[in-house]
């Protein structure tokens, strides 16, 4: 994440599933439920689908938008972008990126 970029977090996000299959290049997809998921207004958030971590930048209802510039949000943090079906679970996750930027979000500029 660029310096100064804020990220979204939310408590009590439900475990859910994609509503349709999507390929490894998809920049949007929908969830069966989105209760507790951030909407991205305060910054990006991360999802885990199968073994892939995906950086999302927005949510409207159950529709998610994946980060596309300057780099793709697919295959984040050393995972690989992959095609997904409707069978895997989707979870909101706390990532290494979240952990390393948390001090900056709290105003601690020494991190």
């Amino acid at each position: 994440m660029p310096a100064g970029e804020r990220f979204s977090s939310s408590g009590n996000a439900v475990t859910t599933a994609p509503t349709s299959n999507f390929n490894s290049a998809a920049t949007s997809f929908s969830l069966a439920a989105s209760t507790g998921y951030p909407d991205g207004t305060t910054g990006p958030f991360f999802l885990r689908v199968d073994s892939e971590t995906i950086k999302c930048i927005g949510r409207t209802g159950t529709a998610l938008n994946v980060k596309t510039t300057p780099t793709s949000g697919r295959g984040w943090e050393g995972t690989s972008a992959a095609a997904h079906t409707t069978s895997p679970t989707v979870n909101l996750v706390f990532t290494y990126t979240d952990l390393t930027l948390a001090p900056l979000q709290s105003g601690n500029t020494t991190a």
Side-chain angles (χ1 to χ4, degrees):
M1 286 167 128
E5 181 179 29
R6 296 192 63 81
F7 61 93
S8 293
S9 60
S10 180
N12 303 314
V14 297
T15 296
T16 188
T19 58
S20 61
N21 298 345
F22 61 100
N23 67 31
S24 62
T27 59
S28 64
F29 61 97
S30 292
L31 302 175
S34 62
T35 302
Y37 283 77
D39 62 11
T41 56
T42 59
F45 54 96
F46 299 88
L47 303 178
R48 187 72 169 199
V49 183
D50 287 326
S51 60
E52 180 185 2
T53 300
I54 301 172
K55 183 178 183 179
C56 295
I57 56 169
R59 178 185 60 81
T60 303
T62 59
L64 299 169
N65 295 315
V66 177
K67 178 185 180 328
T68 57
T69 58
T71 59
S72 174
R74 299 296 305 273
W76 201 256
E77 294 199 335
T79 63
S80 295
H84 300 286
T85 65
T86 58
S87 61
T89 57
V90 176
N91 289 291
L92 182 67
V93 294
F94 186 78
T95 66
Y96 180 76
T97 300
D98 294 327
L99 179 65
T100 57
L101 291 178
L104 297 176
Q105 297 247 353
S106 68
N108 178 351
T109 59
T110 61

